[in-house]
Coordinates of all heavy atoms in Angstrom, one line a residue:
H926 N 107.1 126.9 107.2 CA 106.1 126.3 106.5 C 106.6 125.6 105.2 O 106.0 124.6 104.8 CB 105.0 127.3 106.2 CG 103.7 126.7 105.8 ND1 102.9 126.0 106.8 CD2 103.0 126.7 104.7 CE1 101.8 125.6 106.2 NE2 101.8 126.0 104.9
D927 N 107.7 126.0 104.7 CA 108.3 125.4 103.5 C 108.7 124.0 103.8 O 108.6 123.1 102.9 CB 109.5 126.2 103.0 CG 109.0 127.5 102.4 OD1 107.9 127.7 102.0 OD2 109.9 128.5 102.3
V928 N 109.2 123.8 105.0 CA 109.7 122.4 105.4 C 108.5 121.4 105.4 O 108.6 120.3 104.9 CB 110.3 122.4 106.8 CG1 110.7 121.0 107.2 CG2 111.6 123.3 106.7
I929 N 107.4 121.9 105.9 CA 106.2 121.0 105.9 C 105.7 120.7 104.5 O 105.3 119.6 104.2 CB 105.0 121.7 106.7 CG1 105.5 121.8 108.2 CG2 103.8 120.9 106.6 CD1 104.6 122.7 109.0
D930 N 105.8 121.7 103.6 CA 105.4 121.4 102.2 C 106.3 120.4 101.5 O 105.8 119.5 100.8 CB 105.5 122.7 101.3 CG 104.4 123.7 101.7 OD1 103.3 123.3 102.2 OD2 104.6 124.9 101.5
V931 N 107.6 120.5 101.8 CA 108.6 119.5 101.2 C 108.3 118.2 101.8 O 108.3 117.2 101.1 CB 110.0 120.0 101.5 CG1 111.0 118.9 101.1 CG2 110.3 121.3 100.7
R932 N 108.1 118.1 103.1 CA 107.8 116.8 103.7 C 106.5 116.1 103.1 O 106.5 114.9 102.9 CB 107.6 117.0 105.2 CG 108.8 117.2 106.0 CD 108.4 117.3 107.5 NE 109.6 117.7 108.3 CZ 109.5 118.2 109.5 NH1 108.3 118.4 110.1 NH2 110.5 118.5 110.2
S933 N 105.5 116.9 102.9 CA 104.3 116.4 102.4 C 104.5 115.8 101.0 O 103.9 114.8 100.6 CB 103.1 117.4 102.4 OG 103.4 118.4 101.5
K934 N 105.3 116.5 100.2 CA 105.6 116.0 98.8 C 106.5 114.7 98.9 O 106.3 113.8 98.1 CB 106.4 117.1 98.1 CG 105.5 118.3 97.7 CD 106.2 119.4 97.0 CE 105.3 120.5 96.7 NZ 106.0 121.7 96.2
V935 N 107.3 114.6 99.9 CA 108.1 113.4 100.0 C 107.2 112.3 100.4 O 107.4 111.1 99.9 CB 109.3 113.6 101.1 CG1 109.9 112.3 101.4 CG2 110.3 114.6 100.5
I936 N 106.3 112.5 101.4 CA 105.4 111.5 101.8 C 104.5 111.0 100.6 O 104.4 109.8 100.3 CB 104.5 111.9 102.9 CG1 105.3 112.0 104.2 CG2 103.3 111.0 103.1 CD1 104.6 112.5 105.4
A937 N 104.0 112.0 99.8 CA 103.2 111.6 98.6 C 104.1 110.8 97.6 O 103.6 109.9 97.0 CB 102.7 112.9 98.0
H938 N 105.3 111.2 97.5 CA 106.2 110.5 96.5 C 106.3 109.0 97.0 O 106.2 108.1 96.2 CB 107.6 111.2 96.5 CG 108.6 110.4 95.7 ND1 108.6 110.3 94.3 CD2 109.6 109.6 96.1 CE1 109.6 109.5 93.9 NE2 110.2 109.1 95.0
F939 N 106.6 108.8 98.3 CA 106.7 107.4 98.8 C 105.4 106.6 98.7 O 105.5 105.4 98.5 CB 107.4 107.4 100.1 CG 108.9 107.5 100.1 CD1 109.5 108.7 100.4 CD2 109.6 106.4 99.7 CE1 110.9 108.8 100.3 CE2 111.0 106.5 99.6 CZ 111.6 107.7 99.9
I940 N 104.3 107.3 98.8 CA 103.0 106.6 98.6 C 103.0 106.1 97.2 O 102.6 104.9 96.9 CB 101.8 107.5 99.0 CG1 101.8 107.8 100.5 CG2 100.5 106.9 98.5 CD1 100.8 108.8 100.9
K941 N 103.4 106.9 96.3 CA 103.3 106.5 94.8 C 104.4 105.4 94.6 O 104.1 104.5 93.8 CB 103.6 107.8 94.0 CG 102.5 108.7 94.0 CD 102.8 110.0 93.2 CE 101.6 110.9 93.3 NZ 101.9 112.3 93.6
V942 N 105.5 105.5 95.2 CA 106.5 104.4 95.1 C 105.9 103.1 95.6 O 106.1 102.1 95.0 CB 107.8 104.8 95.8 CG1 108.7 103.6 96.0 CG2 108.5 106.0 95.1
G943 N 105.3 103.2 96.8 CA 104.7 102.0 97.3 C 103.6 101.4 96.4 O 103.6 100.2 96.2
R944 N 102.8 102.2 95.8 CA 101.8 101.8 94.9 C 102.4 101.1 93.7 O 102.0 100.0 93.2 CB 100.9 102.9 94.4 CG 99.7 102.5 93.6 CD 98.9 103.6 93.1 NE 99.6 104.1 91.9 CZ 99.9 105.4 91.6 NH1 99.5 106.3 92.5 NH2 100.5 105.7 90.5
R945 N 103.5 101.7 93.1 CA 104.2 101.1 92.0 C 104.8 99.8 92.3 O 104.8 98.9 91.5 CB 105.2 102.1 91.4 CG 105.9 101.7 90.2 CD 105.0 101.6 89.0 NE 105.7 101.2 87.8 CZ 105.4 100.2 87.0 NH1 104.2 99.6 87.2 NH2 106.1 99.8 86.0
L946 N 105.4 99.7 93.5 CA 106.0 98.5 93.9 C 105.0 97.4 94.0 O 105.2 96.2 93.6 CB 106.7 98.6 95.3 CG 108.0 99.5 95.2 CD1 108.4 99.8 96.7 CD2 109.1 98.7 94.5
K947 N 103.8 97.7 94.5 CA 102.7 96.7 94.5 C 102.3 96.3 93.1 O 102.1 95.1 92.9 CB 101.5 97.3 95.3 CG 100.4 96.3 95.4 CD 99.2 96.9 96.1 CE 98.0 95.9 96.0 NZ 96.8 96.6 95.8
E948 N 102.3 97.2 92.2 CA 101.9 96.9 90.8 C 103.0 95.9 90.2 O 102.6 95.1 89.4 CB 101.9 98.2 90.0 CG 100.7 99.0 90.3 CD 100.8 100.4 89.6 OE1 101.7 100.6 88.8 OE2 99.9 101.2 89.8
L949 N 104.2 96.1 90.7 CA 105.3 95.2 90.2 C 105.3 93.9 91.0 O 106.2 93.1 90.8 CB 106.6 95.9 90.3 CG 106.8 97.1 89.4 CD1 108.0 97.9 89.7 CD2 106.8 96.7 87.9
N950 N 104.4 93.7 91.9 CA 104.4 92.6 92.8 C 105.6 92.4 93.7 O 106.0 91.3 94.0 CB 104.1 91.3 92.1 CG 102.7 91.1 91.7 OD1 101.8 91.6 92.4 ND2 102.4 90.6 90.5
N951 N 106.2 93.5 94.0 CA 107.3 93.6 95.0 C 106.8 93.8 96.4 O 106.8 94.9 96.9 CB 108.3 94.6 94.5 CG 109.6 94.5 95.3 OD1 109.7 94.0 96.4 ND2 110.7 95.1 94.7
I952 N 106.2 92.8 96.9 CA 105.5 92.9 98.2 C 106.4 93.2 99.4 O 106.0 94.0 100.2 CB 104.7 91.6 98.5 CG1 103.7 91.3 97.4 CG2 104.0 91.6 99.8 CD1 102.7 92.4 97.1
N953 N 107.6 92.7 99.4 CA 108.5 93.0 100.5 C 108.9 94.5 100.5 O 108.9 95.1 101.6 CB 109.8 92.2 100.4 CG 109.6 90.7 100.7 OD1 108.7 90.4 101.5 ND2 110.4 89.8 100.2
S954 N 109.2 95.0 99.4 CA 109.5 96.5 99.4 C 108.3 97.3 99.6 O 108.4 98.4 100.3 CB 110.1 96.8 98.0 OG 111.4 96.2 97.9
T955 N 107.1 96.9 99.2 CA 105.9 97.6 99.4 C 105.7 97.7 100.9 O 105.4 98.7 101.5 CB 104.7 97.0 98.7 OG1 105.0 96.9 97.4 CG2 103.4 97.8 99.0
H956 N 105.9 96.6 101.6 CA 105.7 96.5 103.0 C 106.7 97.4 103.8 O 106.4 98.1 104.7 CB 105.8 95.1 103.5 CG 105.5 94.9 105.0 ND1 106.4 94.4 105.9 CD2 104.3 95.1 105.6 CE1 105.8 94.4 107.1 NE2 104.5 94.8 106.9
A957 N 107.9 97.5 103.3 CA 108.9 98.3 103.9 C 108.5 99.8 103.8 O 108.7 100.6 104.7 CB 110.3 98.1 103.2
V958 N 108.0 100.2 102.6 CA 107.6 101.6 102.4 C 106.4 101.9 103.3 O 106.4 102.9 104.0 CB 107.2 101.9 100.9 CG1 106.5 103.2 100.8 CG2 108.4 101.8 100.1
V959 N 105.4 101.0 103.4 CA 104.2 101.2 104.2 C 104.7 101.3 105.7 O 104.2 102.2 106.5 CB 103.2 100.1 104.0 CG1 102.1 100.2 105.1 CG2 102.6 100.3 102.6
S960 N 105.5 100.4 106.1 CA 106.0 100.4 107.5 C 106.7 101.7 107.9 O 106.5 102.2 109.0 CB 106.9 99.2 107.7 OG 106.2 98.0 107.6
A961 N 107.5 102.1 106.9 CA 108.3 103.4 107.2 C 107.3 104.6 107.4 O 107.5 105.4 108.3 CB 109.2 103.7 106.1
L962 N 106.3 104.6 106.5 CA 105.3 105.7 106.6 C 104.4 105.6 107.8 O 103.9 106.6 108.3 CB 104.4 105.8 105.3 CG 105.2 106.2 104.1 CD1 104.3 106.0 102.9 CD2 105.6 107.6 104.2
Q963 N 104.3 104.4 108.4 CA 103.5 104.2 109.6 C 104.4 104.3 110.9 O 103.8 104.2 112.0 CB 102.8 102.8 109.6 CG 101.7 102.7 108.6 CD 101.1 101.3 108.5 OE1 101.8 100.3 108.8 NE2 99.8 101.3 108.2
S964 N 105.7 104.5 110.7 CA 106.6 104.6 111.9 C 106.2 105.8 112.7 O 105.6 106.8 112.2 CB 108.0 104.6 111.5 OG 108.3 105.9 110.8
A965 N 106.5 105.7 114.0 CA 106.1 106.8 114.9 C 106.6 108.2 114.4 O 106.0 109.2 114.5 CB 106.5 106.5 116.3
A966 N 107.9 108.2 114.0 CA 108.5 109.4 113.6 C 107.9 110.1 112.5 O 107.8 111.3 112.4 CB 110.0 109.2 113.3
V967 N 107.3 109.3 111.5 CA 106.6 109.9 110.4 C 105.2 110.1 110.7 O 104.6 111.2 110.3 CB 106.8 109.0 109.1 CG1 106.1 109.6 107.9 CG2 108.3 108.9 108.8
H968 N 104.5 109.1 111.3 CA 103.1 109.2 111.5 C 102.7 110.4 112.4 O 101.6 110.9 112.2 CB 102.7 107.9 112.2 CG 101.2 107.7 112.3 ND1 100.3 107.5 111.3 CD2 100.4 107.8 113.4 CE1 99.1 107.5 111.7 NE2 99.1 107.6 113.0
R969 N 103.5 110.8 113.3 CA 103.2 111.9 114.2 C 103.2 113.3 113.6 O 102.8 114.2 114.2 CB 104.1 111.9 115.4 CG 105.5 112.2 115.1 CD 106.4 112.2 116.4 NE 107.8 112.3 116.1 CZ 108.4 113.5 115.8 NH1 107.7 114.6 115.9 NH2 109.7 113.5 115.5
L970 N 103.6 113.4 112.3 CA 103.8 114.7 111.7 C 102.4 115.1 111.1 O 102.1 115.1 109.9 CB 104.8 114.6 110.5 CG 106.2 114.2 110.9 CD1 107.1 114.0 109.7 CD2 106.8 115.3 111.8
R971 N 101.5 115.5 112.0 CA 100.1 115.8 111.7 C 100.0 116.9 110.6 O 99.2 116.8 109.7 CB 99.3 116.1 112.9 CG 99.2 115.0 113.9 CD 98.1 115.2 114.9 NE 98.2 114.2 116.0 CZ 97.9 112.9 115.9 NH1 97.4 112.5 114.7 NH2 97.9 112.1 116.9
Q972 N 100.7 118.0 110.8 CA 100.6 119.1 109.8 C 101.1 118.7 108.4 O 100.5 119.0 107.4 CB 101.4 120.3 110.3 CG 100.9 121.0 111.5 CD 101.8 122.2 111.9 OE1 102.9 122.2 111.6 NE2 101.2 123.1 112.7
T973 N 102.1 117.8 108.4 CA 102.6 117.3 107.1 C 101.6 116.5 106.4 O 101.3 116.6 105.3 CB 103.9 116.5 107.3 OG1 104.9 117.4 108.0 CG2 104.5 116.0 106.0
W974 N 101.0 115.5 107.2 CA 100.0 114.6 106.6 C 98.8 115.4 106.2 O 98.1 115.0 105.2 CB 99.6 113.5 107.6 CG 100.6 112.4 107.7 CD1 101.6 112.3 108.7 CD2 100.7 111.3 106.9 NE1 102.3 111.2 108.4 CE2 101.8 110.5 107.3 CE3 100.0 110.9 105.8 CZ2 102.2 109.3 106.7 CZ3 100.4 109.7 105.1 CH2 101.5 108.9 105.6
S975 N 98.5 116.5 106.8 CA 97.3 117.2 106.5 C 97.4 117.9 105.1 O 96.4 118.2 104.4 CB 97.0 118.3 107.5 OG 97.9 119.3 107.5
L976 N 98.6 118.0 104.6 CA 98.9 118.6 103.3 C 99.0 117.6 102.1 O 99.0 117.9 101.0 CB 100.2 119.5 103.3 CG 100.2 120.7 104.2 CD1 101.5 121.4 104.1 CD2 99.0 121.6 103.8
V977 N 99.0 116.3 102.5 CA 99.0 115.2 101.5 C 97.6 115.2 100.9 O 96.6 115.2 101.6 CB 99.4 113.9 102.1 CG1 99.3 112.8 101.1 CG2 100.8 114.0 102.7
S978 N 97.5 115.0 99.6 CA 96.2 115.0 98.9 C 95.3 113.8 99.3 O 95.8 112.8 99.8 CB 96.4 115.0 97.4 OG 96.8 113.7 97.0
K979 N 94.0 114.0 99.2 CA 93.1 113.0 99.6 C 93.3 111.7 98.8 O 93.2 110.6 99.2 CB 91.6 113.4 99.5 CG 91.2 114.4 100.5 CD 89.7 114.7 100.5 CE 89.3 115.6 101.6 NZ 87.9 115.7 101.7
K980 N 93.6 111.9 97.5 CA 93.9 110.8 96.6 C 95.1 110.0 97.1 O 95.0 108.7 97.2 CB 94.1 111.3 95.2 CG 94.5 110.2 94.2 CD 94.8 110.8 92.8 CE 95.3 109.7 91.9 NZ 95.8 110.3 90.6
D981 N 96.1 110.7 97.4 CA 97.3 109.9 98.0 C 97.0 109.3 99.3 O 97.5 108.2 99.5 CB 98.5 110.9 98.1 CG 99.1 111.3 96.8 OD1 98.9 110.6 95.8 OD2 99.7 112.4 96.7
L982 N 96.2 109.9 100.1 CA 95.9 109.3 101.4 C 95.0 108.1 101.2 O 95.2 107.1 101.9 CB 95.1 110.3 102.3 CG 96.0 111.5 102.9 CD1 95.1 112.4 103.6 CD2 97.1 110.9 103.8
Q983 N 94.1 108.1 100.3 CA 93.3 106.9 100.0 C 94.2 105.8 99.5 O 94.0 104.6 99.8 CB 92.2 107.3 99.0 CG 91.1 108.1 99.5 CD 90.2 108.6 98.4 OE1 90.4 108.6 97.2 NE2 89.0 109.1 98.9
Q984 N 95.2 106.1 98.6 CA 96.1 105.1 98.1 C 96.9 104.5 99.2 O 97.1 103.3 99.3 CB 97.0 105.7 97.0 CG 96.2 106.0 95.7 CD 97.1 106.7 94.7 OE1 98.3 107.1 95.0 NE2 96.6 106.9 93.5
F985 N 97.3 105.3 100.1 CA 98.1 104.9 101.3 C 97.2 104.0 102.2 O 97.7 102.9 102.6 CB 98.7 106.0 102.1 CG 99.4 105.6 103.3 CD1 100.6 104.9 103.2 CD2 98.9 105.8 104.6 CE1 101.2 104.4 104.4 CE2 99.5 105.4 105.7 CZ 100.7 104.7 105.6
D986 N 96.0 104.3 102.4 CA 95.1 103.5 103.2 C 94.9 102.1 102.6 O 94.9 101.1 103.3 CB 93.7 104.2 103.4 CG 93.8 105.4 104.4 OD1 94.8 105.5 105.1 OD2 92.9 106.2 104.3
K987 N 94.8 102.1 101.3 CA 94.7 100.8 100.6 C 95.9 99.9 100.8 O 95.8 98.7 101.0 CB 94.4 101.0 99.1 CG 93.0 101.5 98.8 CD 92.8 101.7 97.3 CE 91.4 102.2 97.0 NZ 91.3 102.5 95.5
L988 N 97.1 100.6 100.6 CA 98.3 99.8 100.8 C 98.4 99.4 102.3 O 98.8 98.2 102.5 CB 99.5 100.7 100.5 CG 99.8 101.1 99.0 CD1 100.9 102.0 98.9 CD2 100.1 99.8 98.3
A989 N 98.1 100.2 103.2 CA 98.2 99.9 104.6 C 97.2 98.7 105.0 O 97.5 97.8 105.7 CB 97.9 101.1 105.5
D990 N 96.0 98.8 104.3 CA 95.0 97.7 104.6 C 95.6 96.3 104.1 O 95.2 95.3 104.7 CB 93.7 98.0 103.8 CG 92.9 99.0 104.5 OD1 93.2 99.3 105.7 OD2 92.0 99.6 103.9
L991 N 96.3 96.3 103.0 CA 96.9 95.1 102.5 C 97.8 94.4 103.6 O 97.8 93.2 103.7 CB 97.8 95.4 101.3 CG 98.5 94.2 100.6 CD1 97.4 93.2 100.1 CD2 99.3 94.7 99.5
F992 N 98.4 95.2 104.4 CA 99.3 94.7 105.4 C 98.8 94.7 106.9 O 99.5 94.6 107.8 CB 100.7 95.5 105.4 CG 101.4 95.3 104.1 CD1 101.4 96.3 103.2 CD2 102.0 94.1 103.7 CE1 102.0 96.2 102.0 CE2 102.6 93.9 102.5 CZ 102.6 95.0 101.6
A993 N 97.4 94.8 106.9 CA 96.8 94.8 108.2 C 97.0 93.4 108.8 O 96.9 92.4 108.1 CB 95.3 95.1 108.1
T994 N 97.2 93.4 110.1 CA 97.5 92.1 110.8 C 96.2 91.4 111.3 O 96.3 90.3 111.8 CB 98.4 92.3 112.0 OG1 97.8 93.2 112.9 CG2 99.8 92.8 111.5
Q995 N 95.0 91.9 111.1 CA 93.8 91.3 111.5 C 93.6 89.9 110.8 O 94.0 89.8 109.6 CB 92.6 92.2 111.2 CG 92.4 93.3 112.1 CD 93.2 94.6 111.6 OE1 93.8 94.5 110.5 NE2 93.2 95.6 112.3
R996 N 93.1 89.0 111.6 CA 92.8 87.7 111.1 C 94.0 87.0 110.4 O 93.9 86.5 109.3 CB 91.6 87.7 110.2 CG 90.3 88.2 110.9 CD 89.1 88.2 110.1 NE 88.8 86.8 109.8 CZ 87.8 86.5 109.0 NH1 87.0 87.4 108.5 NH2 87.5 85.2 108.8
N997 N 95.1 87.2 111.1 CA 96.4 86.5 110.6 C 96.7 86.9 109.2 O 97.0 86.1 108.3 CB 96.2 85.0 110.7 CG 97.6 84.3 110.7 OD1 98.6 84.9 110.9 ND2 97.6 83.0 110.3
W998 N 96.8 88.2 108.9 CA 97.2 88.8 107.6 C 96.3 88.4 106.5 O 96.7 88.2 105.4 CB 98.6 88.5 107.3 CG 99.6 88.9 108.3 CD1 99.9 88.4 109.5 CD2 100.5 90.1 108.2 NE1 100.9 89.1 110.2 CE2 101.3 90.1 109.4 CE3 100.7 91.0 107.2 CZ2 102.2 91.1 109.6 CZ3 101.7 92.0 107.4 CH2 102.4 92.0 108.6
E999 N 95.0 88.3 106.8 CA 94.0 87.8 105.8 C 94.1 88.5 104.4 O 94.1 87.9 103.4 CB 92.6 87.8 106.3 CG 91.6 87.3 105.4 CD 90.2 87.4 105.9 OE1 89.9 88.3 106.7 OE2 89.4 86.5 105.6
N1000 N 94.2 89.9 104.5 CA 94.2 90.7 103.3 C 95.4 90.3 102.4 O 95.3 90.2 101.2 CB 94.1 92.2 103.6 CG 92.9 92.6 104.2 OD1 91.9 91.9 104.2 ND2 92.9 93.7 104.9
L1001 N 96.5 90.2 103.0 CA 97.8 89.9 102.3 C 97.7 88.5 101.7 O 98.0 88.2 100.5 CB 99.0 90.0 103.2 CG 100.3 89.7 102.5 CD1 100.6 90.7 101.3 CD2 101.4 89.8 103.5
R1002 N 97.2 87.5 102.5 CA 97.1 86.1 102.0 C 96.1 86.1 100.8 O 96.4 85.4 99.8 CB 96.6 85.2 103.1 CG 97.7 84.9 104.1 CD 97.4 83.9 105.2 NE 96.4 84.4 106.1 CZ 95.1 84.0 106.2 NH1 94.7 83.0 105.5 NH2 94.3 84.5 107.1
T1003 N 95.0 86.8 100.9 CA 94.0 86.9 99.8 C 94.7 87.5 98.5 O 94.5 86.9 97.4 CB 92.8 87.6 100.2 OG1 92.2 87.1 101.3 CG2 91.8 87.7 99.1
Y1004 N 95.4 88.5 98.7 CA 96.1 89.2 97.6 C 97.1 88.3 96.9 O 97.1 88.2 95.7 CB 96.8 90.5 98.0 CG 97.6 91.1 97.0 CD1 97.0 91.9 96.0 CD2 99.0 91.0 96.9 CE1 97.7 92.5 95.0 CE2 99.7 91.6 95.9 CZ 99.1 92.3 94.9 OH 99.8 92.9 93.9
L1005 N 97.8 87.5 97.7 CA 98.9 86.7 97.2 C 98.3 85.5 96.4 O 98.9 84.9 95.5 CB 99.8 86.2 98.3 CG 100.7 87.3 98.9 CD1 101.4 86.7 100.1 CD2 101.6 87.8 97.9
K1006 N 97.0 85.1 96.8 CA 96.4 84.0 96.1 C 95.9 84.4 94.7 O 95.7 83.5 93.8 CB 95.2 83.5 96.9 CG 95.6 82.6 98.1 CD 94.3 82.1 98.8 CE 94.7 81.4 100.0 NZ 93.5 80.9 100.8
E1007 N 95.7 85.7 94.5 CA 95.1 86.1 93.2 C 96.1 86.0 92.1 O 97.3 86.0 92.2 CB 94.6 87.6 93.3 CG 93.5 87.7 94.3 CD 93.0 89.2 94.5 OE1 93.7 90.1 94.0 OE2 92.1 89.4 95.2

């Protein structure tokens, strides 16, 4: 169970890193972090994700929404125009 706790803290850390990269307008690195967290190897760790706080999960969802491919990356294009 200790391994799962450590993994959840690492995931939470990278969510915070992704958020900070977005604040710095480093979109390429933000996309790399989001893509890594969405990779099959990480995404399938259900017990680990269940220990990540709701606040961090909400932040991750916002980051992931930015890179959603619907409507030809509309969210990203809108963000970049701002």
